[in-house]
Amino acid sequence: MTDNRARSSAATSAVLGALAGLALAGRLGWPWALAGAGLGLVILAAIDGAARRRQKPGEIPALWSRIAASAAIAAPLGWLVGLIPGFGPVITAILAGATAGLLGVRPAKVLLGPVVGAVVGFGLWLLDHDAPTAVAASAAVLAFRLISAVMFRDPQVKLIAEQARPADLPFVVPRAAAGRFVGTAYIRELADEIGGVFHADAPDVGIVGSLDELAGPDFAVERVDVQVREFYEHTTRFTLDIVPRWRLWVRPGYLLYRSMVARPLGQANVPMNQRDTQRGVRSRIDTIDHPDRPLIEVRGWIRSYADTDEPIYVGVYTTYRQDGRGYVSVGFPLPQASFTATLRPVPRTDGGLTLTSKGDDQAGHYLSYIDPDSGALTTVAVDGFAERLDVFVADGELRAEHAFALFGLPFLVLHYRMDRKK
């Protein structure tokens, strides 16, 4: 970590510690509040400094320092909640625990959060009916984080690189959106940015140049059905019909995400139901060639609703080889970032092809911040997310099933029917 970043981290921790101390001791009067702010500043800055000294390159700060920071953040927020009439220590602790559980994302943590908050809140209420809400919030978050650390030992998100060169992370597609909106014009805008030759809706192009690029010791390309191979190498020859099957437990959260994130972003706007898909799906591949030779450098598979061209997905498809095996990496551009799905090919006994994010140390999902000046990548692996894409022939027709899971819980399957364009 550079000196500037270390100083910035220490300053942030000092401010959080001071605010926490002020909130926790504020009810005792100004002298105690100022003393609490000073003590909180020193303690949290010292914890941050100790954690940063032990931090190795490519690691996130130690768990104990992150827990301390969480408890410190909760204190002033709990104090603010206490200003609302009728919100005492019990309600505040439940809200704090529930929020911490939601931020943990994992379903078990979501359920655990309010339970821990309720236990902590009632315990404080029994000791003091007027217990400070800042104390209730901080104690609930601290208890939740400590219990979670014992119960859930497998990290679902882990830092794997900090300010790394793109060449050092071949499983990441380092393509970010220049603005806040991705949209169907992304590849055209990228061509202007990198100085390539743009081709809109390129004819007879596939999401991969050749399936041979994926060959490996456990994947014999010659055994793949000719229709499956044609779909990958000449994707634009086919139309797509999608039938989404969402699990009931994820529907409310997805509706909120779709309204507040996906549509304003112009990315990852998956159909909610069959009524959405009846609008029709337009599938096309925009490409960028090198100006000096006819080599496709970028393949952007764009799916949008046919009636309005509202984007569904904008994905940049690439392949690469590592240790004699081929992989497909799909980058979904985000503002100053990219979410990459790197998938390993697995043969099906019926001649189909499976692409899965599980199975080895290359396949997986990666969220990367892309430095706008240097292009360096700070990347985390999102191990809690998984997907599997099966493309196969059934009754002479080309089909696909795209399944997604979060923390081992399936939440969506997209059923595709691919028909040859007339």
Side-chain angles (χ1 to χ4, degrees):
M1 174 177 290
T2 64
D3 291 340
N4 287 338
R5 295 180 66 194
R7 284 194 292 268
S8 175
S9 176
T12 301
S13 296
V15 171
L16 287 178
L19 290 175
L22 189 66
L24 293 171
R27 200 173 68 161
L28 301 176
W30 280 110
W32 286 101
L34 292 175
L39 186 61
L41 183 153
V42 171
I43 291 176
L44 209 62
I47 290 174
D48 178 80
R52 297 293 173 180
R53 284 192 295 272
R54 295 167 59 98
Q55 184 180 357
K56 297 177 181 179
E59 287 185 346
I60 58 177
L63 176 62
W64 44 270
S65 70
R66 304 199 310 271
I67 291 176
S70 299
I73 291 171
L77 295 178
W79 176 80
L80 289 172
V81 170
L83 298 178
I84 303 174
F87 281 62
V90 176
I91 295 179
T92 302
I94 293 174
L95 288 174
T99 302
L102 285 172
L103 292 175
V105 181
R106 193 193 306 237
K109 287 187 176 182
V110 173
L111 296 175
L112 178 65
V115 173
V116 172
V119 172
V120 170
F122 278 111
L124 288 173
W125 181 81
L126 290 174
L127 294 174
D128 179 5
H129 285 13
D130 262 345
T133 53
V135 174
S138 186
V141 171
L142 179 62
F144 171 79
R145 293 298 305 272
L146 291 174
I147 293 172
S148 296
V150 174
M151 291 181 61
F152 309 105
R153 294 183 174 275
D154 54 324
Q156 298 300 298
V157 177
K158 58 186 177 184
L159 181 68
I160 60 173
E162 192 172 19
Q163 293 293 304
R165 298 180 307 161
D168 295 333
L169 303 177
F171 44 80
V172 171
V173 180
R175 299 294 185 187
R180 295 183 179 180
F181 186 78
V182 182
T184 57
Y186 172 78
I187 303 300
R188 181 189 301 274
E189 295 165 356
L190 179 63
D192 293 338
E193 178 184 335
I194 66 177
V197 180
F198 172 74
H199 299 277
D201 200 359
D204 207 27
V205 174
I207 54 178
V208 300
S210 171
L211 214 58
D212 294 334
E213 298 167 8
L214 306 182
D218 51 1
F219 176 50
V221 178
E222 61 273 11
R223 296 183 181 177
V224 175
D225 188 286
V226 292
Q227 292 187 70
V228 174
R229 180 164 189 156
E230 183 184 14
F231 171 74
Y232 276 97
E233 297 178 347
H234 304 279
T235 312
T236 55
R237 293 179 182 176
F238 298 88
T239 62
L240 295 180
D241 286 328
I242 306 175
V243 178
R245 301 295 186 195
W246 290 89
R247 296 294 178 98
L248 289 177
W249 67 269
V250 80
R251 283 174 174 265
Y254 178 70
L255 285 172
L256 183 64
Y257 156 82
R258 187 184 188 190
S259 299
M260 300 186 65
V261 179
R263 282 177 167 165
L265 184 61
Q267 177 66 288
N269 181 21
V270 182
M272 186 68 222
N273 48 45
Q274 200 160 358
R275 184 175 64 251
D276 281 345
T277 62
Q278 287 173 351
R279 299 164 58 186
V281 175
R282 182 187 177 194
S283 171
R284 61 193 185 274
I285 296 179
D286 292 350
T287 63
I288 302 175
D289 294 347
H290 192 281
D292 298 326
R293 59 185 187 276
L295 175 66
I296 296 178
E297 288 193 345
V298 176
R299 301 169 187 265
W301 192 12
I302 300 169
R303 281 151 286 180
S304 60
Y305 292 105
D307 56 351
T308 63
D309 206 32
E310 178 186 1
I312 297 175
Y313 271 122
V314 180
V316 178
Y317 281 69
T318 65
T319 59
Y320 77 98
R321 299 188 63 77
Q322 184 82 8
D323 299 327
R325 289 176 168 83
Y327 297 86
V328 176
S329 285
V330 188
F332 300 98
L334 302 170
Q336 292 190 11
S338 174
F339 184 76
T340 301
T342 293
L343 308 174
R344 177 176 63 95
V346 178
R348 287 171 51 111
T349 56
D350 59 2
L353 172 60
T354 296
L355 294 178
T356 175
S357 62
K358 298 294 184 182
D360 61 25
D361 60 352
Q362 295 287 306
H365 293 86
Y366 306 94
L367 180 62
S368 301
Y369 166 75
I370 304 173
D371 189 292
D373 298 321
S374 66
L377 303 177
T378 297
T379 300
V380 297
V382 188
D383 293 339
F385 193 82
E387 69 177 291
R388 175 188 173 108
L389 172 61
D390 286 274
V391 179
F392 54 93
V393 176
D395 299 326
E397 297 183 332
L398 198 57
R399 297 288 183 266
E401 292 182 356
H402 201 170
F404 301 85
L406 188 63
F407 309 117
L409 297 177
F411 68 89
L412 170 65
V413 179
L414 297 174
H415 297 271
Y416 288 89
R417 186 180 71 190
M418 291 87 86
D419 294 319
R420 193 178 300 278
K421 292 180 180 177
K422 297 180 181 179

